[in-house]
Amino acid sequence: MAPYAPGYEPADQARWHPEPPKDPRRGEFSRDRARVVHSSALRRLSAKTQVVGPGSDEFVRNRLTHSLEVAQVGRELALALGCDPDVVDTACLAHDLGHPPFGHNGETALDEISAGIGGFEGNAQTLRLLTRLEPKVMGPRRAHGLNLTRASLDAVAKYPWRSGESPTEGSRKFGAYDDDLAVFEWLREGAPDRHRCIEAQVMDLSDDVAYSVHDVEDAIVSLRFDPARLEHGDETGHIIEVVRSWYLPDVADDVIAEGLERLRRLPAWVTSFAGDYASLAALKDMTSQLIGRFVRSVEEATRAQAGGKPLTRYHADLVVPVETEVEIAVLKGLAAVYVMTVEDRQPLYSRQRELLMELVQVLEDRAPKALDLQFAVDWNAAPDDAGRLRAVIDQVASLTDARAVTWHHELLPN
């Protein structure tokens, strides 16, 4: 076994299912990253919705390109703070693996249809995929997924609690289904209750930074958002309302307005977009400047509190200045206002949810014959109806957007 990195203990590189030693020159955490990079689940993200569907435009991001960008942000911040970069890189690459077709819209549909068996949550599905569904390591009685180390699995745990135990009132987010509690409790061994390790905090921030900045970039290039509209101030009130209701319920309107104004006053902020080379270059510079701005502010604030030592596991927490949190939320709000909530997209969202619910129902009726062999095996091995429905949900969650549509058409041609 390769020596563990500074700040990490032997237990951090342990695996749920013991494996024989391999090349001692390779660290356990680098092996984790390689397993995610070579996984079929990561490849499928190239055909899953980020904000708008893949194939709708040659420029906009899908979940794979988003995950690569999150990993780049996370790796840089990890290096600056002394986290193991492979642990953070692995978490960033893996953080969206469990998301179903059609993004969060698909998540809503699968959660509704599986409410009686514990619901569906993309982050809990990610853990299930990493520890059970993704083919890599097989034990004597069951599959163990990619069988990542404890530190890497814990770094993926954005919501390290089971359903109904969220520390945030009203939140339905959770990180493990009841069926996966054994491995969840193993990976959380010795961790403070419902507290994320710093590597998971870096992953979560990198996700926020990447998608807030890049969703606005995509919205501008696809002409869904004209930044010149902000110059008149007519829509500022609506933007503030969406930011507060969606992301910052406890932050005053004037604080959100100040965050929007700070962004608009940045030298790199684009005020118009013509679609030519100069406009595209200016937009790309804006995204780079924003990412650098957010990462530097968090690095400086965290170092000011924790000092210069390597920051790993539960020895420190990430510090995000309020100003940075507000600016990131404002960017999310711009994407929400000009892309996600526009009226012409609502019929599409409704049809996507209907399609997935119908697909689950027809596969449940025709299982196990209609399922892919991997999920048919799980269906046959399930002890009860709840387990059989979970196998169908696992199947549908694994689909790309295009395969979900095609399969629905084949099974329900009318």
Side-chain angles (χ1 to χ4, degrees):
M1 181 176 286
Y4 52 89
Y8 295 87
E9 302 297 331
D12 297 328
Q13 62 179 359
R15 299 181 188 276
W16 171 244
H17 178 69
E19 297 184 30
K22 295 191 177 181
D23 187 345
R25 295 170 297 180
R26 294 184 64 197
E28 294 300 313
F29 299 150
S30 68
R31 288 175 62 195
D32 287 347
R33 181 183 179 279
R35 290 182 181 194
V36 173
V37 167
H38 291 291
S39 67
S40 58
L42 186 68
R43 293 195 299 276
R44 285 196 298 271
L45 293 185
S46 66
K48 291 196 179 189
T49 294
Q50 174 62 12
V51 174
V52 296
S56 61
D57 188 283
E58 292 182 351
F59 178 88
V60 297
R61 291 160 170 88
N62 55 52
R63 284 206 178 265
L64 176 58
T65 57
H66 163 69
S67 296
L68 295 174
E69 289 165 337
V70 173
Q72 177 61 30
V73 175
R75 192 174 187 89
E76 293 296 324
L77 186 53
L79 287 166
L81 296 177
C83 307
D84 187 279
D86 284 325
V87 171
V88 172
D89 209 340
T90 297
C92 291
L93 290 171
H95 82 283
D96 267 352
L97 292 182
H99 275 257
F102 313 129
H104 292 292
N105 196 37
E107 191 175 12
T108 299
L110 294 186
D111 184 47
E112 181 177 339
I113 203 168
S114 62
I117 61 168
F120 181 90
E121 213 291 324
N123 297 277
Q125 192 70 18
T126 292
L127 177 65
R128 187 172 179 82
L129 189 149
L130 291 173
T131 60
R132 183 189 295 257
L133 299 178
E134 178 65 22
K136 171 64 179 176
V137 176
M138 189 72 197
R141 291 183 297 276
R142 53 158 285 186
H144 294 284
L146 296 183
N147 199 37
L148 303 181
T149 63
R150 175 182 277 114
S152 291
L153 283 175
D154 200 18
V156 182
K158 184 175 180 178
Y159 304 107
W161 51 81
R162 59 190 294 182
S163 179
E165 296 180 346
S166 172
T168 304
E169 186 177 354
S171 173
R172 301 190 65 216
K173 296 292 186 181
F174 61 96
Y177 302 122
D178 287 349
D179 199 26
D180 300 314
L181 286 182
V183 69
F184 176 73
E185 290 170 356
W186 172 83
L187 74 91
R188 294 290 296 170
E189 191 174 301
D193 184 44
R194 295 183 294 180
H195 189 88
R196 293 180 297 174
C197 62
I198 192 169
E199 293 87 353
Q201 295 174 45
V202 171
M203 173 272 289
D204 189 25
L205 175 77
S206 301
D207 184 25
D208 274 359
V209 169
Y211 88 73
S212 65
V213 171
H214 292 134
D215 285 359
V216 170
E217 181 186 358
D218 285 354
I220 291 173
V221 171
S222 60
L223 305 182
R224 291 177 171 88
F225 168 46
D226 179 0
R229 297 174 69 164
L230 298 180
E231 299 301 307
H232 308 295
D234 299 340
E235 298 168 348
T236 300
H238 180 47
I239 294 168
I240 292 171
E241 179 184 356
V242 169
V243 171
R244 180 170 34 77
S245 61
W246 282 39
Y247 304 112
L248 299 174
D250 299 323
V251 176
D253 286 2
D254 59 339
V255 175
I256 298 173
E258 289 167 5
L260 175 60
E261 188 59 24
R262 280 197 305 274
L263 291 174
R264 290 183 57 247
R265 289 200 307 265
L266 292 175
W269 185 263
V270 298
T271 57
S272 62
F273 181 77
D276 57 358
Y277 186 92
S279 293
L280 288 167
L283 184 59
K284 185 58 67 176
D285 181 60
M286 182 186 81
T287 63
S288 297
Q289 296 286 344
L290 287 172
I291 291 171
R293 174 185 178 86
F294 298 149
V295 170
R296 281 192 304 274
S297 72
V298 171
E299 178 190 350
E300 291 169 0
T302 302
R303 282 297 186 195
Q305 178 170 299
K309 62 186 178 183
L311 309 180
T312 62
R313 303 290 279 140
Y314 294 95
H315 302 303
D317 287 311
L318 209 62
V319 179
V320 182
V322 173
E323 294 82 0
T324 300
E325 182 182 8
V326 169
E327 290 175 11
I328 291 172
V330 166
L331 293 176
K332 292 181 188 177
L334 291 174
V337 168
Y338 295 107
V339 179
M340 290 181 278
T341 61
V342 292
E343 288 300 319
D344 64 356
R345 298 192 65 80
Q346 301 314 306
L348 171 64
Y349 294 152
S350 178
R351 179 55 186 149
Q352 288 173 344
R353 291 190 295 271
E354 180 181 316
L355 182 151
L356 288 188
M357 295 178 76
E358 290 175 351
L359 187 56
V360 169
Q361 290 168 349
V362 71
L363 288 175
E364 192 176 14
D365 291 340
R366 301 185 189 183
K369 182 179 293 187
L371 302 176
D372 290 342
L373 181 57
Q374 172 190 355
F375 301 102
V377 169
D378 290 344
W379 191 94
N380 283 319
D384 51 29
D385 288 344
R388 287 185 279 273
L389 176 55
R390 181 60 69 186
V392 174
I393 294 294
D394 287 341
Q395 167 80 85
V396 174
S398 75
L399 302 178
T400 63
D401 292 15
R403 190 175 179 216
V405 172
T406 300
W407 214 2
H408 180 274
H409 179 71
E410 291 172 352
L411 294 173
L412 294 161
N414 297 322

